[in-house]
Amino acid sequence: MTSSPHDRARPHRARLSVCLLFGLYGVILGTWTARIPAIKQGLALTDGALSLGLLAFAAGAILGMQAAGRLVDRYGAGRLLLPVVLADGLLLASPAFAPNLTVLAGCLLAFGTAHGLLNITMNTAAVEVQRAWQAPIMSSFHAVYSIGGFLGAAVGGLCAYAGLSATATFLAVAALVAVTAPVAARWRLAPTAVPAAATEPGAGGLPGVTFLGVLVFCCLVGEGAAADWSSVYLRDSLGSTPGFAAAAYAAFSIMMMAGRLVGDRLTAALGPVRLVRYSGVLAALGLGTALLIGHPVAGVAGFGLLGAGLACIAPQVFSAAGSQDPARAGQAIARVASLGFLGFVVGPLVIGALAEVVDLPAALAIPAVLSLFVAAAATALRPRTKEGHLPIAMRRGRAPS
């Protein structure tokens, strides 16, 4: 039986739908990050007080991720996408109305919860679309997230430069989400029946998923280290100017985005195991060599190679976790994402503490070592069951026909 043009168009529209949601996710987070200084100034917060508020966001994100797993498996990612992304956009604006630190922490807890829910929901939807597409496309979704984050940060920065308040900035982005999200949700894949076993607490374990989460933890330690310590390393340890120091994280972000844009082709050509192995080695050698050379230009290049190396690892791990048991993809992705987010938060703190004992260049060797560990453990991404193997069309990178 041949499929109709309408049937063949569904995966294409669904892919566009999920891309839009990944983009909105990035725009929301990028806008929030860019306007944090305005929130701090408006409430006259100290660095320590602001850290408490940001910790509430992190705690909410973990709570949201944990709750999302079973919700997605029970109701399906498609049914949850619209309410979750609308909630994330709406709650973005809430910190701007907080009159004090206590209310700010409550707003950020709610915002973080919605953000965590959206993270798991959209990644599960991405795995479902990839399964229907029958080709590796997970990296493209994460590339759109990176692009969205850049755009959100740019919008937030331009609004700050123009003198617009954080409230006006957040409300404008919330309006964008409210207009775009219903269109994206309308193009999602049709909900599929969820096996009853997926909603039962005793449905069995998810063998190997925790270890996949460890791999993402290692990967996001590197992302957090680049975000928090790359500029500090160039400025304080290598003596570069503040402007040139900022180039380290810029190189990391640009190379990560570029790596994700070509990630799907690399996956089709190499397969996920070899891609993750080569990626881990590239990240480790790039950063490690730069630390040994100890020159500002080498530092920028090293963090750029770290970004290129880490770019494709998390998308491949999410894909492997979500494909292991489609009936419980939400729970698997929630476990992996939670461990990864923990690495992003805890990793920079550990590096900072270790830098007090030794020095920052030595402490920054941690992401390089962890990247080598990921490379050595890349075989964990190999499908465990016959059903888990990629279809022939997917291995060759063909779109559905």
Side-chain angles (χ1 to χ4, degrees), residues 110-155:
F111 177 34
T113 300
H115 211 62
L117 283 166
L118 179 56
N119 183 305
I120 304 308
T121 305
M122 69 183 191
N123 272 290
T124 306
V127 171
E128 293 174 356
V129 173
Q130 179 174 253
R131 192 178 302 121
W133 191 269
Q134 296 186 333
I137 58 174
M138 197 70 175
S139 288
S140 66
F141 294 126
H142 287 255
V144 173
Y145 156 69
S146 297
I147 294 170
F150 173 80
L151 292 175
V155 168

Short mmCIF file of all heavy atoms in Angstrom, two decimals, residues 110-155:
data_model
loop_
_atom_site.label_atom_id
_atom_site.label_comp_id
_atom_site.label_asym_id
_atom_site.label_seq_id
_atom_site.Cartn_x
_atom_site.Cartn_y
_atom_site.Cartn_z
N ALA A 110 9.04 28.09 39.92
CA ALA A 110 7.98 27.75 38.98
C ALA A 110 8.48 27.80 37.54
O ALA A 110 8.18 26.93 36.72
CB ALA A 110 6.80 28.72 39.16
N PHE A 111 9.25 28.84 37.21
CA PHE A 111 9.82 28.98 35.86
C PHE A 111 10.73 27.80 35.55
O PHE A 111 10.67 27.21 34.46
CB PHE A 111 10.56 30.31 35.79
CG PHE A 111 11.27 30.57 34.48
CD1 PHE A 111 10.75 30.13 33.27
CD2 PHE A 111 12.46 31.29 34.46
CE1 PHE A 111 11.41 30.39 32.06
CE2 PHE A 111 13.12 31.55 33.27
CZ PHE A 111 12.60 31.09 32.07
N GLY A 112 11.58 27.44 36.49
CA GLY A 112 12.49 26.31 36.28
C GLY A 112 11.73 25.00 36.09
O GLY A 112 12.12 24.16 35.28
N THR A 113 10.63 24.83 36.84
CA THR A 113 9.83 23.61 36.69
C THR A 113 9.25 23.50 35.29
O THR A 113 9.30 22.44 34.65
CB THR A 113 8.70 23.59 37.74
OG1 THR A 113 9.27 23.64 39.06
CG2 THR A 113 7.86 22.32 37.61
N ALA A 114 8.69 24.61 34.80
CA ALA A 114 8.14 24.60 33.44
C ALA A 114 9.24 24.35 32.41
O ALA A 114 9.04 23.63 31.42
CB ALA A 114 7.44 25.93 33.16
N HIS A 115 10.41 24.94 32.64
CA HIS A 115 11.52 24.76 31.71
C HIS A 115 11.99 23.31 31.69
O HIS A 115 12.31 22.76 30.63
CB HIS A 115 12.66 25.69 32.11
CG HIS A 115 13.47 26.17 30.96
ND1 HIS A 115 12.96 26.94 29.94
CD2 HIS A 115 14.78 25.96 30.63
CE1 HIS A 115 13.91 27.21 29.06
NE2 HIS A 115 15.02 26.61 29.46
N GLY A 116 12.04 22.68 32.87
CA GLY A 116 12.41 21.27 32.92
C GLY A 116 11.37 20.38 32.24
O GLY A 116 11.72 19.42 31.54
N LEU A 117 10.10 20.69 32.45
CA LEU A 117 9.04 19.94 31.77
C LEU A 117 9.17 20.04 30.26
O LEU A 117 9.05 19.04 29.53
CB LEU A 117 7.67 20.48 32.20
CG LEU A 117 7.16 20.07 33.58
CD1 LEU A 117 5.97 20.95 33.98
CD2 LEU A 117 6.74 18.61 33.60
N LEU A 118 9.44 21.25 29.76
CA LEU A 118 9.57 21.44 28.32
C LEU A 118 10.78 20.70 27.78
O LEU A 118 10.73 20.13 26.68
CB LEU A 118 9.65 22.93 27.99
CG LEU A 118 9.82 23.30 26.51
CD1 LEU A 118 8.69 22.69 25.68
CD2 LEU A 118 9.86 24.81 26.33
N ASN A 119 11.87 20.70 28.53
CA ASN A 119 13.08 20.00 28.09
C ASN A 119 12.80 18.54 27.78
O ASN A 119 13.14 18.04 26.70
CB ASN A 119 14.15 20.13 29.20
CG ASN A 119 15.47 19.50 28.81
OD1 ASN A 119 15.55 18.33 28.44
ND2 ASN A 119 16.54 20.27 28.92
N ILE A 120 12.15 17.85 28.70
CA ILE A 120 11.88 16.43 28.51
C ILE A 120 10.83 16.21 27.44
O ILE A 120 10.94 15.30 26.60
CB ILE A 120 11.43 15.79 29.84
CG1 ILE A 120 12.48 16.05 30.93
CG2 ILE A 120 11.22 14.30 29.66
CD1 ILE A 120 13.89 15.66 30.57
N THR A 121 9.79 17.03 27.44
CA THR A 121 8.70 16.86 26.48
C THR A 121 9.19 17.02 25.05
O THR A 121 8.89 16.22 24.17
CB THR A 121 7.58 17.85 26.77
OG1 THR A 121 7.15 17.72 28.13
CG2 THR A 121 6.38 17.61 25.86
N MET A 122 9.99 18.07 24.81
CA MET A 122 10.42 18.31 23.43
C MET A 122 11.47 17.30 22.99
O MET A 122 11.50 16.89 21.82
CB MET A 122 10.94 19.74 23.27
CG MET A 122 12.24 20.03 23.96
SD MET A 122 12.72 21.77 23.80
CE MET A 122 14.41 21.68 24.43
N ASN A 123 12.33 16.84 23.90
CA ASN A 123 13.31 15.82 23.52
C ASN A 123 12.64 14.49 23.22
O ASN A 123 13.06 13.77 22.31
CB ASN A 123 14.37 15.67 24.62
CG ASN A 123 15.54 16.62 24.44
OD1 ASN A 123 16.34 16.49 23.52
ND2 ASN A 123 15.63 17.60 25.33
N THR A 124 11.61 14.17 23.98
CA THR A 124 10.85 12.95 23.69
C THR A 124 10.15 13.06 22.35
O THR A 124 10.13 12.11 21.54
CB THR A 124 9.84 12.67 24.81
OG1 THR A 124 10.50 12.65 26.08
CG2 THR A 124 9.16 11.32 24.59
N ALA A 125 9.56 14.22 22.09
CA ALA A 125 8.92 14.45 20.79
C ALA A 125 9.94 14.35 19.66
O ALA A 125 9.64 13.83 18.57
CB ALA A 125 8.24 15.82 20.77
N ALA A 126 11.16 14.82 19.91
CA ALA A 126 12.20 14.75 18.89
C ALA A 126 12.57 13.31 18.57
O ALA A 126 12.78 12.95 17.41
CB ALA A 126 13.44 15.52 19.36
N VAL A 127 12.64 12.48 19.60
CA VAL A 127 12.93 11.06 19.37
C VAL A 127 11.82 10.41 18.56
O VAL A 127 12.07 9.59 17.66
CB VAL A 127 13.13 10.33 20.72
CG1 VAL A 127 13.21 8.82 20.52
CG2 VAL A 127 14.40 10.83 21.41
N GLU A 128 10.57 10.77 18.87
CA GLU A 128 9.43 10.21 18.11
C GLU A 128 9.48 10.63 16.64
O GLU A 128 9.23 9.82 15.74
CB GLU A 128 8.12 10.68 18.74
CG GLU A 128 7.87 10.11 20.14
CD GLU A 128 6.64 10.70 20.79
OE1 GLU A 128 6.03 11.62 20.19
OE2 GLU A 128 6.28 10.26 21.90
N VAL A 129 9.82 11.90 16.39
CA VAL A 129 9.91 12.37 15.01
C VAL A 129 11.07 11.69 14.30
O VAL A 129 10.96 11.30 13.13
CB VAL A 129 10.07 13.90 14.97
CG1 VAL A 129 10.33 14.38 13.54
CG2 VAL A 129 8.82 14.58 15.53
N GLN A 130 12.18 11.52 14.99
CA GLN A 130 13.32 10.83 14.37
C GLN A 130 12.95 9.39 14.00
O GLN A 130 13.34 8.89 12.95
CB GLN A 130 14.51 10.82 15.33
CG GLN A 130 15.73 10.10 14.78
CD GLN A 130 16.95 10.24 15.67
OE1 GLN A 130 17.88 10.97 15.34
NE2 GLN A 130 16.96 9.54 16.80
N ARG A 131 12.15 8.74 14.85
CA ARG A 131 11.72 7.37 14.56
C ARG A 131 10.83 7.35 13.31
O ARG A 131 10.96 6.47 12.46
CB ARG A 131 10.98 6.80 15.77
CG ARG A 131 10.72 5.30 15.70
CD ARG A 131 10.02 4.80 16.96
NE ARG A 131 10.81 5.09 18.13
CZ ARG A 131 10.40 5.82 19.15
NH1 ARG A 131 9.19 6.37 19.15
NH2 ARG A 131 11.19 6.04 20.19
N ALA A 132 9.96 8.34 13.19
CA ALA A 132 9.10 8.41 12.00
C ALA A 132 9.90 8.82 10.76
O ALA A 132 9.61 8.37 9.65
CB ALA A 132 7.96 9.40 12.24
N TRP A 133 10.90 9.65 10.95
CA TRP A 133 11.71 10.14 9.84
C TRP A 133 12.61 9.05 9.28
O TRP A 133 12.98 9.05 8.12
CB TRP A 133 12.55 11.32 10.33
CG TRP A 133 13.24 12.11 9.27
CD1 TRP A 133 14.50 11.91 8.79
CD2 TRP A 133 12.73 13.24 8.58
NE1 TRP A 133 14.80 12.84 7.84
CE2 TRP A 133 13.73 13.68 7.68
CE3 TRP A 133 11.51 13.93 8.61
CZ2 TRP A 133 13.56 14.77 6.84
CZ3 TRP A 133 11.35 15.02 7.79
CH2 TRP A 133 12.36 15.43 6.91
N GLN A 134 13.04 8.12 10.16
CA GLN A 134 13.93 7.02 9.80
C GLN A 134 15.28 7.52 9.30
O GLN A 134 15.87 6.95 8.38
CB GLN A 134 13.27 6.10 8.77
CG GLN A 134 12.03 5.39 9.29
CD GLN A 134 11.48 4.37 8.31
OE1 GLN A 134 11.66 4.49 7.11
NE2 GLN A 134 10.81 3.36 8.84
N ALA A 135 15.76 8.57 9.92
CA ALA A 135 17.09 9.10 9.64
C ALA A 135 17.56 9.86 10.87
O ALA A 135 16.73 10.36 11.63
CB ALA A 135 17.06 10.03 8.42
N PRO A 136 18.87 9.93 11.11
CA PRO A 136 19.37 10.65 12.28
C PRO A 136 19.19 12.15 12.13
O PRO A 136 19.81 12.78 11.28
CB PRO A 136 20.85 10.26 12.34
CG PRO A 136 21.20 9.89 10.94
CD PRO A 136 19.96 9.29 10.35
N ILE A 137 18.33 12.74 12.95
CA ILE A 137 18.05 14.18 12.86
C ILE A 137 18.09 14.85 14.24
O ILE A 137 17.76 16.03 14.37
CB ILE A 137 16.68 14.45 12.20
CG1 ILE A 137 15.56 13.75 12.98
CG2 ILE A 137 16.68 14.02 10.74
CD1 ILE A 137 14.16 14.10 12.47
N MET A 138 18.53 14.13 15.26
CA MET A 138 18.50 14.67 16.61
C MET A 138 19.41 15.89 16.78
O MET A 138 19.06 16.85 17.47
CB MET A 138 18.89 13.58 17.61
CG MET A 138 18.52 13.88 19.04
SD MET A 138 16.72 13.81 19.26
CE MET A 138 16.59 14.04 21.02
N SER A 139 20.57 15.86 16.13
CA SER A 139 21.49 16.98 16.28
C SER A 139 20.91 18.27 15.73
O SER A 139 21.19 19.36 16.24
CB SER A 139 22.81 16.67 15.57
OG SER A 139 23.55 15.69 16.27
N SER A 140 20.09 18.17 14.68
CA SER A 140 19.52 19.38 14.10
C SER A 140 18.59 20.08 15.09
O SER A 140 18.54 21.32 15.14
CB SER A 140 18.76 19.06 12.81
OG SER A 140 17.63 18.24 13.06
N PHE A 141 17.87 19.32 15.90
CA PHE A 141 17.00 19.93 16.91
C PHE A 141 17.84 20.71 17.93
O PHE A 141 17.50 21.83 18.30
CB PHE A 141 16.18 18.86 17.63
CG PHE A 141 15.18 18.16 16.75
CD1 PHE A 141 15.17 16.78 16.67
CD2 PHE A 141 14.27 18.86 15.99
CE1 PHE A 141 14.26 16.12 15.86
CE2 PHE A 141 13.35 18.22 15.18
CZ PHE A 141 13.35 16.84 15.11
N HIS A 142 18.93 20.10 18.37
CA HIS A 142 19.78 20.76 19.34
C HIS A 142 20.52 21.95 18.73
O HIS A 142 20.84 22.92 19.43
CB HIS A 142 20.75 19.76 19.96
CG HIS A 142 20.09 18.82 20.91
ND1 HIS A 142 20.23 18.92 22.28
CD2 HIS A 142 19.25 17.77 20.71
CE1 HIS A 142 19.51 17.98 22.87
NE2 HIS A 142 18.91 17.26 21.94
N ALA A 143 20.78 21.89 17.42
CA ALA A 143 21.36 23.05 16.74
C ALA A 143 20.39 24.23 16.76
O ALA A 143 20.79 25.38 16.99
CB ALA A 143 21.73 22.68 15.30
N VAL A 144 19.11 23.94 16.52
CA VAL A 144 18.11 25.00 16.56
C VAL A 144 18.00 25.59 17.96
O VAL A 144 17.82 26.80 18.13
CB VAL A 144 16.74 24.47 16.08
CG1 VAL A 144 15.66 25.52 16.26
CG2 VAL A 144 16.82 24.06 14.61
N TYR A 145 18.13 24.74 18.99
CA TYR A 145 18.15 25.25 20.36
C TYR A 145 19.32 26.21 20.57
O TYR A 145 19.16 27.29 21.16
CB TYR A 145 18.25 24.09 21.36
CG TYR A 145 18.82 24.49 22.69
CD1 TYR A 145 18.11 25.33 23.55
CD2 TYR A 145 20.10 24.06 23.07
CE1 TYR A 145 18.66 25.72 24.76
CE2 TYR A 145 20.65 24.46 24.27
CZ TYR A 145 19.92 25.28 25.12
OH TYR A 145 20.47 25.68 26.31
N SER A 146 20.50 25.85 20.06
CA SER A 146 21.66 26.74 20.18
C SER A 146 21.42 28.06 19.47
O SER A 146 21.77 29.13 19.99
CB SER A 146 22.91 26.04 19.62
OG SER A 146 23.22 24.87 20.34
N ILE A 147 20.83 27.99 18.28
CA ILE A 147 20.53 29.21 17.53
C ILE A 147 19.51 30.06 18.30
O ILE A 147 19.64 31.28 18.41
CB ILE A 147 20.00 28.87 16.13
CG1 ILE A 147 21.11 28.20 15.31
CG2 ILE A 147 19.48 30.11 15.42
CD1 ILE A 147 20.63 27.61 14.00
N GLY A 148 18.49 29.40 18.86
CA GLY A 148 17.49 30.11 19.65
C GLY A 148 18.10 30.78 20.87
O GLY A 148 17.75 31.92 21.21
N GLY A 149 19.03 30.08 21.54
CA GLY A 149 19.70 30.67 22.69
C GLY A 149 20.49 31.91 22.31
O GLY A 149 20.47 32.93 23.03
N PHE A 150 21.17 31.84 21.17
CA PHE A 150 21.93 33.00 20.69
C PHE A 150 20.99 34.17 20.38
O PHE A 150 21.25 35.32 20.76
CB PHE A 150 22.72 32.62 19.44
CG PHE A 150 23.39 33.78 18.77
CD1 PHE A 150 24.58 34.29 19.27
CD2 PHE A 150 22.84 34.36 17.64
CE1 PHE A 150 25.21 35.38 18.65
CE2 PHE A 150 23.45 35.44 17.02
CZ PHE A 150 24.64 35.95 17.53
N LEU A 151 19.88 33.87 19.70
CA LEU A 151 18.92 34.93 19.36
C LEU A 151 18.30 35.54 20.61
O LEU A 151 18.12 36.76 20.71
CB LEU A 151 17.84 34.37 18.45
CG LEU A 151 18.29 33.97 17.03
CD1 LEU A 151 17.14 33.33 16.27
CD2 LEU A 151 18.83 35.18 16.28
N GLY A 152 17.95 34.68 21.58
CA GLY A 152 17.37 35.19 22.81
C GLY A 152 18.33 36.09 23.57
O GLY A 152 17.94 37.16 24.07
N ALA A 153 19.61 35.68 23.64
CA ALA A 153 20.61 36.50 24.31
C ALA A 153 20.80 37.82 23.56
O ALA A 153 20.97 38.88 24.17
CB ALA A 153 21.93 35.75 24.41
N ALA A 154 20.78 37.75 22.21
CA ALA A 154 20.94 38.97 21.41
C ALA A 154 19.77 39.92 21.63
O ALA A 154 19.95 41.14 21.79
CB ALA A 154 21.06 38.61 19.94
N VAL A 155 18.55 39.37 21.64
CA VAL A 155 17.37 40.21 21.88
C VAL A 155 17.43 40.84 23.27
O VAL A 155 17.19 42.05 23.44
CB VAL A 155 16.08 39.38 21.73
CG1 VAL A 155 14.87 40.14 22.26
CG2 VAL A 155 15.86 39.02 20.27
#
